Amino acid sequence: MKKVLNKSRWFKLTQETNRNGRKFYRISVFNFGWGIKTIESIRDLVDPLRNKSGRDGWDWKYSNRKDAEQVYVMLLIRWP
């Protein structure tokens, strides 16, 4: 089950539930005409080591809502 917690012009924060009933949070990016350097700078801010979604990821999964919201707010401050 997906539940959209917050959605901005470029980013979306959702709460999802897996089969076992555990909740996790996902931050997704929409690309509408952004250059590759901008996407890379978003990836550097969210996941500098590329552990969460790989080298070319567009969404990041968090088990803790507090961490997901912190990153989401950082993204909104940088790219409104």
Side-chain angles (χ1 to χ4, degrees), residues 21-51:
R22 290 192 68 186
K23 294 179 183 176
F24 63 92
Y25 304 91
R26 187 180 306 266
I27 297 174
S28 303
V29 178
F30 306 128
N31 182 14
F32 296 119
W34 280 355
I36 192 70
K37 290 187 178 186
T38 306
I39 298 300
E40 285 298 319
S41 62
I42 290 172
R43 288 185 189 125
D44 288 339
L45 182 69
V46 175
D47 189 20
L49 299 177
R50 307 293 195 264
N51 293 335

Side-chain angles (χ1 to χ4, degrees), residues 15-18 21-25 62-64:
Q15 175 184 341
E16 301 178 27
T17 307
N18 65 7
R22 290 192 68 186
K23 294 179 183 176
F24 63 92
Y25 304 91
Y62 294 89
S63 59
N64 187 353

Side-chain angles (χ1 to χ4, degrees), residues 3 6 8-11 18 29-30 42-43 45 50 57-58 64-67:
K3 179 181 175 185
N6 202 336
S8 70
R9 192 165 128 192
W10 307 110
F11 307 104
N18 65 7
V29 178
F30 306 128
I42 290 172
R43 288 185 189 125
L45 182 69
R50 307 293 195 264
W58 289 90
N64 187 353
R65 183 174 180 163
K66 181 182 174 186
D67 294 339

Side-chain angles (χ1 to χ4, degrees), residues 49-63:
L49 299 177
R50 307 293 195 264
N51 293 335
K52 292 192 179 290
S53 75
R55 215 175 99 206
D56 298 325
W58 289 90
D59 57 344
W60 298 272
K61 185 176 170 180
Y62 294 89
S63 59

